[in-house]
Amino acid sequence: GAVVSQHPSWVICKSGTSVKIECRSLDFQATTMFWYRQFPKQSLMLMATSNEGSKATYEQGVEKDKFLINHASLTLSTLTVTSAHPEDSSFYICSAPIGGTGGTEAFFGQGTRLTVV
Amino acid sequence: GNSVTQMEGPVTLSEEAFLTINCTYTATGYPSLFWYVQYPGEGLQLLLKATKADDKGSNKGFEATYRKETTSFHLEKGSVQVSDSAVYFCALSDPHAGNQFYFGTGTSLTVIP
């Protein structure tokens, strides 16, 4: 079945540095990738939608200059948290929707636990 | 607009008990409905889905029926196991919104021996 691989699974960085999270579709082409953020004991909050070859669409309240999204190929989307601060510590998850005979569903990456110290 | 309302947790059950997690939705079109499960420290995994009214999704003893008349997609399992302990998310995808997903807040389930 379709697999989305997200890397790294966890990262600790110093305040003020940048962190890049990669999300790859392994056996299908992902023209769209969703990026979510999940706070402890809460649901997923959609941050942005990236589309291959075009600019990402950000949800209201998400700083596009802080969360840089690049979707340069059909199998890779990246999220870069720039100048990270402790409040950016969270669980970030990507997902790619894929259509099929049973309708569209989403395949999720394993998630990245970001801790900013 | 689209939204998903999910039963709040946490839920604690004894092994072999019956499980119900309620989920209702609002949608502008004809969404597909999903249940995802998240084990500690992991990403979300699809548990089951239903793409049209009256469809029943089932997997690993879990099942849910797409009820258009009550806009519901309640998750049920007749006999839970300790290994079912996880967080369960109800979700819908809207083909009229670029297949964007909308999630409920999640329900934490703990099954004790």
Side-chain angles (χ1 to χ4, degrees):
Chain A
V3 176
V4 174
S5 177
Q6 185 172 344
H7 178 81
S9 56
W10 61 270
V11 58
I12 301 173
C13 70
K14 291 185 177 180
S15 187
T17 61
S18 295
V19 174
K20 179 185 282 188
I21 301 169
E22 293 187 348
C23 203
R24 295 180 184 273
S25 56
L26 295 186
D27 53 3
F28 67 101
Q29 293 181 331
T31 55
T32 299
M33 196 76 80
F34 298 122
W35 286 94
Y36 296 88
R37 181 175 181 176
Q38 185 182 30
F39 292 100
K41 300 186 187 300
Q42 295 188 28
S43 188
L44 285 74
M45 181 191 81
L46 180 65
M47 299 175 64
T49 303
S50 73
N51 294 290
E52 187 269 335
S54 64
K55 290 184 178 180
T57 303
Y58 290 82
E59 297 299 302
Q60 192 173 6
V62 178
E63 299 176 59
K64 62 181 181 181
D65 294 330
K66 180 167 187 61
F67 298 99
L68 300 179
I69 291 174
N70 184 281
H71 197 153
S73 79
L74 288 171
T75 58
L76 175 63
S77 177
T78 62
L79 167 68
T80 301
V81 183
T82 63
S83 187
H85 291 283
E87 58 265 30
D88 298 324
S89 299
S90 190
F91 193 58
Y92 295 86
I93 307 177
C94 62
S95 80
I98 183 170
T101 55
T104 298
E105 63 180 270
F107 292 90
F108 287 82
Q110 302 91 326
T112 298
R113 173 77 57 194
L114 170 62
T115 302
V116 185
V117 297
Chain B
N2 297 314
S3 67
V4 176
T5 302
Q6 188 175 341
M7 168 181 158
E8 289 190 18
V11 175
T12 302
L13 295 173
S14 297
E15 205 166 19
E16 299 183 2
F18 184 85
L19 168 71
T20 298
I21 301 178
N22 289 337
C23 173
T24 57
Y25 68 91
T26 58
T28 53
Y30 300 94
S32 294
L33 302 175
F34 305 83
W35 277 99
Y36 282 87
V37 58
Q38 184 180 34
Y39 297 101
E42 299 184 14
L44 275 68
Q45 301 173 29
L46 178 65
L47 180 60
L48 54 85
K49 66 178 183 181
T51 58
K52 61 183 187 297
D54 299 325
D55 268 4
K56 178 186 283 188
S58 61
N59 185 26
K60 300 181 181 179
F62 291 90
E63 57 182 37
T65 301
Y66 190 143
R67 301 286 188 199
K68 190 178 178 184
E69 64 276 15
T70 54
T71 61
S72 65
F73 194 56
H74 305 320
L75 181 69
E76 297 183 334
K77 186 174 185 180
S79 176
V80 294
Q81 305 299 314
V82 172
S83 56
D84 294 327
S85 299
V87 180
Y88 293 82
F89 291 92
C90 185
L92 70 82
S93 74
D94 182 357
H96 299 288
N99 293 313
Q100 181 176 323
F101 274 67
Y102 298 82
F103 288 87
T105 52
T107 301
S108 175
L109 170 67
T110 301
V111 181
I112 54 178

